[in-house]
Amino acid sequence: MNKMTVKDVDVSGKKVLVRVDFNVPLKDGEVTDDTRIRAAVPTIEYLLKNNAAVILMSHLGRPKGEVKEELRMDSVAQRLADILGEEVKKSDDCTGQETKHAVQELKAKEILLLENTRFYPEEKKNDPGFAKELANYADIFVNDAFGAAHRAHASTVGVADYIPAAAGFLMKKEIDVLSSTLNSPEHPFVAIIGGAKISDKIGVIENLIDKVDTLIIGGGMANTFLKAKGYDMGESLVEDDKVNQAEEIIQRYNEKGVELLLPVDLVIAEKMQEDADYKTVEVDGISKGWKALDIGEETSKKYFKIIKEAAAVVWNGPMGVFEIDNFAKGTMKVAEAVALCKGKTIIGGGDSAAAVEKAGVADKIFHISTGGGASLEFLEGKELPGISVIQEK
Ligand code: ADP
Ligand code: MG
């Protein structure tokens, strides 16, 4: 990566404004998964150690530009304090006199967490006035929020108009891993793309044609491809307006000689329910009124072998409705294969990360991206605004 990082700037005695991705799941006001908080710790600890005053900001949930009591950052501040073993001061606002005062009072080696940035409609609008107010708190901006890097908001992009911007360690790691795998992968390079809808991931599938040796397709989106191949998909989730595009993609992969694998058998059921009857059929045997909810055993065995032997793997999107055990087997088998693969393995996508957790193999994955949407856009080959604003070395 050619971008400036926190290590390239002198932070000692400076106030450093850090955009982190503390958009964590909450239940009854408590943080239920602190992965994202932990992921930001190396940058925060580095700044403290190097004598900076650290001002943190993040969005949390979707308050839609209003103050929502249940989306305040207090429990996040508490969890961060527990993880760091340090005091974390918390402002109940992002702007205003009290926040300004708290920032002024903040000393080197101290931490202040601002309130949820999305309480302000100005955040998503990337309002210059709001961005300037935030930027005025500090000498340097550090963007460590890879998970929000695909959004051009005031706290991810706007502030960089006023103060120099550098990448945090998490941001650097995400960029390094994803770009090296995409641009100079070891071969065979295998991509596994699944999830509900093909429309979410057409850009990724199109960008990967020049990169991968094999593209493995599963999940709901496989249905649209199978329909393009002429199969009757019954009541399965199919995007009819994308069937032509799916056909074109199959053709282009063919012409380029890049392997594109589709399921050969499927687990089907009458309903997407825990207690629904289900059975495995070949792709040409979907019963009238039934729907495909997972890849079948023959398919997952075939995928397993290819994934296990790969030198690089990128996985985005589960192979079936893995939230329901009867339809989770294909996804679990793929997770197992990715875990056994000795190559560089990367997981992007929130549900795929959850699937790897469910399979109990998260610690056997080379890199689980903290950014769902951001990693997807990265795989599409798009430039992410939150990365663009970081200065080149
Ligand atoms: P990720 O978050 O990893 O990018 P997606 O959000 O694209 O993944 O897709 C995950 C969702 O896709 C899951 O909720 C899963 O239940 C759903 N899904 C997978 N296969 C099917 C299918 N055959 N029919 C309907 N939904 C499916
Ligand atoms: Mg998802």
Side-chain angles (χ1 to χ4, degrees):
M1 190 185 79
N2 262 335
K3 300 271 182 183
M4 300 275 270
T5 75
V6 274
K7 282 201 170 162
D8 301 312
V9 285
D10 179 16
V11 297
S12 181
K14 304 271 170 63
K15 291 211 162 79
V16 181
L17 181 65
V18 189
R19 178 52 156 101
V20 286
D21 178 10
F22 284 171
N23 183 30
V24 290
L26 295 175
K27 200 173 175 228
D28 305 321
E30 290 301 314
V31 177
T32 54
D33 180 354
D34 60 13
T35 308
R36 284 178 164 169
I37 301 176
R38 289 179 186 279
V41 163
T43 298
I44 298 167
E45 282 186 334
Y46 174 87
L47 290 169
L48 295 176
K49 211 175 109 203
N50 285 277
N51 205 39
V54 180
I55 305 155
L56 301 173
M57 57 180 174
S58 174
H59 76 283
L60 176 62
R62 297 168 187 267
K64 304 208 165 114
E66 286 169 31
V67 176
K68 293 258 162 70
E69 289 304 323
E70 68 278 14
L71 290 176
R72 286 196 180 274
M73 302 292 290
D74 295 79
S75 56
V76 174
Q78 186 55 55
R79 182 62 67 92
L80 177 64
D82 292 346
I83 293 170
L84 291 171
E86 304 270 352
E87 187 196 354
V88 175
K89 297 179 199 291
K90 156 86 187 11
S91 172
D92 293 334
D93 221 331
C94 289
T95 58
Q97 281 311 315
E98 257 174 63
T99 308
K100 226 185 232 170
H101 187 69
V103 168
Q104 273 159 7
E105 294 289 297
L106 194 71
K107 297 187 199 63
K109 296 183 189 292
E110 289 184 343
I111 308 165
L112 172 70
L113 175 62
L114 303 184
E115 191 51 274
N116 191 341
T117 53
R118 287 201 193 160
F119 283 179
Y120 293 80
E122 292 91 340
E123 160 75 332
K124 282 183 126 184
K125 288 186 202 139
N126 192 7
D127 177 82
F130 181 58
K132 193 174 178 184
E133 250 180 290
L134 295 171
N136 278 345
Y137 295 149
D139 308 291
I140 299 158
F141 170 52
V142 169
N143 194 355
D144 210 19
F146 177 75
H150 57 315
R151 308 284 186 216
H153 294 169
S155 69
T156 58
V157 166
V159 286
D161 280 342
Y162 307 98
I163 46 176
F169 295 123
L170 172 63
M171 180 68 94
K172 175 175 162 49
K173 186 176 165 204
E174 293 272 10
I175 298 172
D176 282 345
V177 171
L178 288 168
S179 59
S180 70
T181 305
L182 266 191
N183 301 325
S184 49
E186 304 271 322
H187 293 277
F189 177 21
V190 176
I192 313 155
I193 307 291
K197 293 196 295 182
I198 182 175
S199 50
D200 294 339
K201 294 174 186 177
I202 282 182
V204 176
I205 295 171
E206 285 180 339
N207 191 41
L208 288 175
I209 190 167
D210 297 320
K211 320 256 182 213
V212 300
D213 301 289
T214 303
L215 176 68
I216 286 176
I217 305 267
M221 74 160 70
N223 301 335
T224 304
F225 280 101
L226 291 169
K227 178 142 187 196
K229 292 195 84 173
Y231 295 110
D232 179 355
M233 299 310 294
E235 291 300 305
S236 305
L237 173 69
V238 171
E239 285 167 275
D240 283 313
D241 59 333
K242 293 287 180 291
V243 172
N244 285 340
Q245 225 172 332
E247 205 177 337
E248 276 166 35
I249 289 171
I250 293 173
Q251 212 174 349
R252 260 189 282 144
Y253 269 79
N254 251 330
E255 281 161 10
K256 266 218 125 189
V258 181
E259 195 171 32
L260 185 153
L261 297 178
L262 292 169
V264 293
D265 61 347
L266 297 161
V267 177
I268 61 169
E270 269 185 298
K271 293 201 175 81
M272 196 195 288
Q273 280 175 7
E274 307 250 349
D275 57 353
D277 273 343
Y278 63 97
K279 59 186 174 187
T280 302
V281 296
E282 300 201 348
V283 282
D284 61 357
I286 297 179
S287 317
K288 202 169 162 26
W290 290 50
K291 54 182 103 188
L293 296 175
D294 194 8
I295 56 173
E297 200 180 333
E298 205 186 317
T299 304
S300 57
K301 271 190 187 157
K302 191 172 147 194
Y303 288 0
F304 185 89
K305 267 198 198 137
I306 294 166
I307 296 164
K308 201 177 144 228
E309 301 302 325
V313 174
V314 168
W315 181 16
N316 182 293
M319 298 290 100
V321 182
F322 75 103
E323 298 92 337
I324 299 177
D325 284 344
N326 289 341
F327 314 119
K329 293 190 193 83
T331 303
M332 294 301 112
K333 186 89 180 171
V334 161
E336 217 180 290
V338 177
L340 287 170
C341 173
K342 294 195 175 68
K344 252 191 189 177
T345 52
I346 298 172
I347 312 285
D351 290 295
S352 315
V356 166
E357 286 285 343
K358 181 169 171 160
V361 296
D363 60 329
K364 300 204 166 56
I365 308 295
F366 176 69
H367 182 70
I368 301 178
S369 178
T370 51
S375 68
L376 206 59
E377 291 199 16
F378 205 103
L379 296 177
E380 283 179 47
K382 284 192 188 157
E383 204 172 299
L384 278 57
I387 296 176
S388 301
V389 296
I390 300 167
Q391 286 166 338
E392 300 282 330
K393 269 196 203 173

